[in-house]
Amino acid sequence: MDETKTLSVHLLQQGVWDLPLESMPLASGYVKAAALSDERIRRQADVKIFNFRGGDTLMEMAQEIFEHEPPDVMGFSVLGWNFREFGALAETFKQVNPDGWAVFGGTHVANQADRVFRLFPEVDVVVNGEGELVFKDLLNARLDGASRHSLDAVSGIAYRNRAGEVVTTLPRERIDNLDVIPSPFLTGAIDLTDDKGTFRYDVALMETNRGCPYKCSFCYWGGAVGQRIRAFSRERLRAELELFAQLEVHTVVLCDANFGILPIDAEFVADMIEVRDRYGYPQALETSWAKNKSKLFYDIVHTMKQAGMRSSFTLALQTLSDDALKTMNRRNMKVNEWEDLAEWLDKEGLDCYAELIWGAPGETVDSFMDGYDRLSRHVSRIAVYPLQLLPNTDYAEKKQEYGIVSVRGDRDDFEYILSHDTMTLAENRLVKRFLFWSRVMAENAVLRSFWVAVRELTDIKQSDVLRNLDAWVAETEDPAAEPLRSAVARVGGDDVSYGEAVKFLFGDPNGKRLLERWWSEGLRPTIEHGHHGHLELLDEIFRYDLVTQPIYRSPESQERPEELPTVEFRNTRYYIRRNVPFKYDVPSIVAALRSGTRGSIEAVNKTVDLYYRLGAENFVGSTNHEQVVYFMGMPLDEALASTQS
Ligand code: B12
Ligand code: SF4
């Protein structure tokens, strides 16, 4: 620590996944930037962020943090996936500095002081909501010599008094003018580059606003639910975008709950495109889009498409069952009129995926499978998340009313649902098995064009294809199926097994070979018996999906990565695979099938050059399907259309 400073502060964050690139510690960055905007804290305190990866062990984290003098204050940014680790580190912290303050903040612990203090007696303070101004007040209280058992003057927290009773101070108003929080990027609070000066994170995380007008029963969006939306100023966001552009950041991910709901969102996109035109970056924008698709939304999407600014469009439906919509408190959302939107996105050639939740009270196996298949007639990439009970949500509070029985995760502190009044344990297991395949094959886009082809050229349902694969993998004597079988056996709340399966299918030649075998032995014969034509075309489209998988070699694979030449255009480097022969013009046929303008389909020999963006290893296996699709092989015109025009 700098000699002139008297207060040492550590802020800890830990991402979800264990990938080569780190996740950006946005929450700690805000908290640090706000603290350092206080003249006295800036003079007296040394504030340092420790940012860990999902795979970092407790031992590794402890060694890094406690290698030097322990700090006076440790602030932990707690989410369901790091709750236990941070509880353990708080315990270590108090061994090395019994007078230190351990402060827990973040969505997973806000308003949960009783449980936090019970499980982790070493924690001194729980912050209930936005942390920037609260943490600043806490540091000033510490500098004033306050006791950690007497913090009444700091609103928005819970602590324990000398008698050990939990004291909750007055709630703090939400920050109305967000620009009072200094930008963690522009002030340098977050380290943006590595030793070589390269942007060090997988993506840039940003917020353009905070708040959400809805109040869905499963959600606690950083405490924003049911709150008026407040926005950061255009000038500030633009300056942040310029900084990211200079650092050649490919993708910006917005933490907003409903992007495209406010007129200023159109201005943000206009600024992003202008910045991109000047610097070549950023090239993609990922976000949670507004649930109510207004003219503004369509205008924004259209503008982005014309400018070649990539994004994935989510139909955040969560369920198609009326009974489940009722318990979710989402019945009146316009997103439920989704068919027109899906059709429009398809016609515009925009990447679209849908999100469902399995296991909400009111949902049954039949209503879920029916919804899945109705949806898959329009959208093949369906991400299905099993319902987790999150703290501070309506479902968590109404557990008894819905007869919910849950179990905490092995690796995290989320509550996974076992059963409730409309779902038995056995039904849940059955669907989880199905979800495994859906997440791997459809959500993570192991197959892509093939779904469209099956939908348009046969009457087989997407769920039938997935069940067929499940049964074939369970029965085949091919030893290469073993990793998949063991991943299915671990199906539960465990996200890791999906990631492993995706790595295997994208990154191990055995995975591709196995898929080919399944197609010819498992699925293809069922289509033949169903009297469907177009089998040769389906063969070629299946092969196209395999050959356009990202260029990626799984760490487990024994074989050397494929060596392909590279080219660069429009600031992006691609591997190129030249002259791949097909018996049909697959890209054009798939585009026509997608847009519903299929004419007659004829076999014509066609060779295609395929372009694959470099860097897939930073994303494959993270279950981050929004990112993975950027690494698929594509013909030149698609690659050009997906970068700046
Ligand atoms: C980006 C994001 C991701 C990224 C993670 C990127 C990363 N850096 O790690 C990805 C895509 C990986 C992701 C994945 C998932 N996510 Co997510 N994600 C988000 C999102 C949109 C933004 C997070 C963020 O940075 N917000 C901005 C910061 C500033 O807000 P904040 O964290 O709330 O911080 C404020 C306060 O909480 C507080 N605070 C926070 N930390 C600290 C620390 C101190 C010391 C203090 C004083 C205060 C404080 O002050 C901050 C500033 O005001 C949030 C929703 C949201 N808008 O918050 C969901 C959210 C964090 N995700 C959530 C979930 C459930 C998931 C998944 C489990 C989803 C799923 N079902 O698969 C997966 C994880 C998979 C797994 N294996 O566990 C939940 C977490 C709930 C919980 N109780 O932990 C959230 C809140 C969304 C929701 N309501 O469902 N997610
Ligand atoms: S799910 Fe989305 S719309 Fe619903 S409360 Fe959460 S952030 Fe808002």
Side-chain angles (χ1 to χ4, degrees):
M1 186 168 87
D2 178 342
E3 301 281 288
T4 60
K5 313 271 182 176
T6 52
L7 185 74
S8 161
V9 181
H10 287 181
L11 291 168
L12 266 64
Q13 198 147 345
Q14 187 184 23
V16 184
W17 293 313
D18 190 21
L19 290 171
L21 296 175
E22 296 168 57
S23 295
M24 185 185 259
L26 181 59
S28 299
Y30 278 129
V31 170
K32 177 177 169 186
L36 294 181
S37 69
D38 182 290
E39 162 61 25
R40 179 191 185 201
I41 296 175
R42 193 169 57 247
R43 232 179 325 109
Q44 300 193 31
D46 182 69
V47 185
K48 188 168 176 209
I49 295 176
F50 287 77
N51 187 38
F52 297 104
R53 289 185 176 74
D56 289 339
T57 62
L58 267 171
M59 183 60 84
E60 285 163 342
M61 291 196 271
Q63 280 175 350
E64 190 175 333
I65 300 164
F66 301 113
E67 189 186 1
H68 303 292
E69 276 288 287
D72 302 298
V73 178
M74 251 173 118
F76 298 82
S77 185
V78 188
L79 288 152
W81 55 76
N82 57 30
F83 178 77
R84 291 184 191 163
E85 285 79 356
F86 284 176
L89 289 172
E91 194 183 336
T92 312
F93 173 47
K94 295 316 266 297
Q95 291 168 35
V96 289
N97 184 2
D99 295 328
W101 288 8
V103 180
F104 264 28
T107 43
H108 200 72
V109 289
N111 314 313
Q112 304 295 317
D114 286 339
R115 178 166 184 260
V116 172
F117 292 144
R118 182 162 38 83
L119 293 176
F120 305 122
E122 294 78 12
V123 174
D124 298 297
V125 177
V126 170
V127 175
N128 293 326
E130 285 170 307
E132 291 89 351
L133 305 184
V134 182
F135 198 68
K136 188 155 74 168
D137 287 357
L138 279 170
L139 293 188
N140 270 319
R142 172 88 190 193
L143 286 169
D144 288 340
S147 153
R148 62 176 185 269
H149 297 299
S150 169
L151 290 167
D152 280 3
V154 181
S155 56
I157 61 165
Y159 66 93
R160 270 161 312 164
N161 63 18
R162 278 184 208 290
E165 295 153 345
V166 177
V167 180
T168 303
T169 64
L170 287 174
R172 195 173 280 244
E173 292 282 304
R174 290 191 70 83
I175 301 171
D176 201 39
N177 174 10
L178 290 180
D179 284 332
V180 301
I181 310 168
S183 163
F185 319 120
L186 301 172
T187 57
I190 295 181
D191 278 341
L192 293 178
T193 52
D194 61 17
D195 301 343
K196 295 189 208 105
T198 311
F199 185 68
R200 63 190 298 156
Y201 306 106
D202 51 357
V203 297
L205 279 183
M206 282 177 87
E207 286 178 312
T208 75
N209 66 47
R210 289 183 182 174
C212 172
Y214 307 106
K215 214 170 177 312
C216 306
S217 308
F218 53 83
C219 174
Y220 185 66
W221 197 257
V225 290
Q227 297 281 337
R228 188 171 64 75
I229 303 176
R230 297 144 171 95
F232 286 97
S233 68
R234 180 175 185 178
E235 297 67 37
R236 169 205 178 119
L237 293 171
R238 196 187 157 96
E240 292 182 341
L241 282 173
E242 293 214 13
L243 177 59
F244 290 137
Q246 284 158 10
L247 294 171
E248 305 189 348
V249 171
H250 180 274
T251 305
V252 169
V253 173
L254 299 182
C255 304
D256 303 21
N258 285 283
F259 187 73
I261 202 171
L262 300 176
I264 50 161
D265 297 347
E267 296 173 357
F268 178 81
V269 166
D271 287 345
M272 190 162 167
I273 293 169
E274 207 184 297
V275 168
R276 195 273 325 261
D277 287 346
R278 218 151 10 99
Y279 298 94
Y281 295 94
Q283 297 182 1
L285 173 71
E286 295 297 347
T287 186
S288 299
W289 289 92
K291 309 301 167 287
N292 189 351
K293 306 291 194 275
S294 60
K295 178 170 178 316
L296 179 68
F297 166 84
Y298 284 97
D299 286 349
I300 291 179
V301 175
H302 198 70
T303 310
M304 286 178 69
K305 188 198 165 193
Q306 289 205 316
M309 177 65 73
R310 297 192 70 163
S311 189
S312 316
F313 296 94
T314 328
L315 294 170
L317 295 170
Q318 316 308 357
T319 179
L320 270 68
S321 140
D322 216 40
D323 287 344
L325 278 176
K326 220 182 291 171
T327 73
M328 277 186 185
N329 196 19
R330 282 172 72 97
R331 260 181 101 197
N332 299 323
M333 279 192 183
K334 272 248 178 97
V335 67
N336 301 319
E337 298 156 24
W338 53 274
E339 270 115 331
D340 290 349
L341 174 63
E343 208 173 292
W344 182 78
L345 289 169
D346 241 2
K347 286 223 168 80
E348 293 274 315
L350 292 163
D351 194 26
C352 161
Y353 75 93
E355 233 173 48
L356 291 177
I357 288 177
W358 157 246
E363 190 84 76
T364 62
V365 179
D366 287 347
S367 69
F368 175 77
M369 293 311 291
D370 174 63
Y372 186 94
D373 280 323
R374 258 198 294 149
L375 192 54
S376 68
R377 302 297 311 164
H378 301 264
V379 189
S380 59
R381 272 177 68 212
I382 304 177
V384 192
Y385 299 101
L387 178 67
Q388 297 165 331
L389 285 191
L390 302 179
N392 302 308
T393 61
D394 210 36
Y395 277 157
E397 274 144 32
K398 292 188 177 151
K399 232 177 133 173
Q400 290 199 330
E401 187 180 318
Y402 294 126
I404 296 175
V405 180
S406 65
V407 61
R408 298 262 171 197
D410 284 317
R411 293 166 215 258
D412 56 49
D413 190 57
F414 294 122
E415 280 187 85
Y416 294 87
I417 312 240
L418 290 176
S419 62
H420 53 56
D421 290 346
T422 60
M423 175 184 79
T424 66
L425 189 57
E427 288 168 341
N428 191 13
R429 286 184 69 169
L430 195 82
V431 177
K432 286 267 180 70
R433 213 181 151 94
F434 171 79
L435 293 190
F436 172 85
W437 293 110
S438 166
R439 290 195 77 168
V440 172
M441 300 299 292
E443 174 187 331
N444 277 284
V446 168
L447 293 178
R448 283 142 283 126
S449 309
F450 185 70
W451 299 120
V452 183
V454 167
R455 175 175 91 199
E456 299 297 324
L457 302 173
T458 80
D459 57 15
I460 298 181
K461 293 189 267 187
Q462 187 161 318
S463 61
D464 293 334
V465 175
L466 294 168
R467 284 204 196 89
N468 182 290
L469 176 59
D470 182 34
W472 186 84
V473 167
E475 278 164 22
T476 179
E477 83 300 342
D478 194 324
E482 207 33 63
L484 291 175
R485 270 201 291 267
S486 74
V488 182
R490 279 183 279 132
V491 157
D494 184 352
D495 252 336
V496 178
S497 52
Y498 304 113
E500 293 308 313
V502 174
K503 279 185 190 166
F504 172 67
L505 293 172
F506 276 149
D508 190 319
N510 275 318
K512 289 196 212 311
R513 187 183 53 72
L514 202 70
L515 286 176
E516 274 164 2
R517 244 191 107 175
W518 158 64
W519 163 240
S520 64
E521 291 174 16
L523 189 61
R524 197 177 191 279
T526 67
I527 298 179
E528 235 155 2
H529 294 143
H531 314 292
H532 297 293
H534 305 301
L535 266 178
E536 279 210 340
L537 174 60
L538 284 167
D539 287 340
E540 289 298 87
I541 295 178
F542 192 85
R543 199 163 62 81
Y544 184 80
D545 274 1
L546 294 194
V547 86
T548 51
Q549 286 184 345
I551 303 297
Y552 161 74
R553 182 62 78 231
S554 123
E556 315 294 316
S557 167
Q558 309 296 326
E559 295 187 33
R560 282 164 55 90
E562 205 179 352
E563 279 178 23
L564 290 171
T566 63
V567 288
E568 184 171 322
F569 53 85
R570 294 184 177 166
N571 294 310
T572 307
R573 186 153 276 282
Y574 294 87
Y575 292 111
I576 173 163
R577 192 196 297 279
R578 291 192 199 281
N579 298 324
V580 187
F582 290 97
K583 291 185 206 145
Y584 290 82
D585 182 354
V586 174
S588 309
I589 292 173
V590 171
L593 290 175
R594 214 181 271 282
S595 65
T597 55
R598 162 161 67 110
S600 67
I601 296 174
E602 279 166 31
V604 280
N605 285 330
K606 164 102 183 161
T607 57
V608 188
D609 290 345
L610 293 169
Y611 292 76
Y612 307 75
R613 213 180 114 207
L614 270 68
E617 61 282 1
N618 294 321
F619 297 95
V620 171
S622 65
T623 70
N624 192 344
H625 54 100
E626 282 112 331
Q627 296 300 317
V628 159
V629 290
Y630 294 142
F631 298 91
M632 302 295 173
M634 56 188 101
L636 184 61
D637 55 340
E638 279 179 38
L640 287 173
S642 68
T643 57
Q644 79 194 93
S645 48

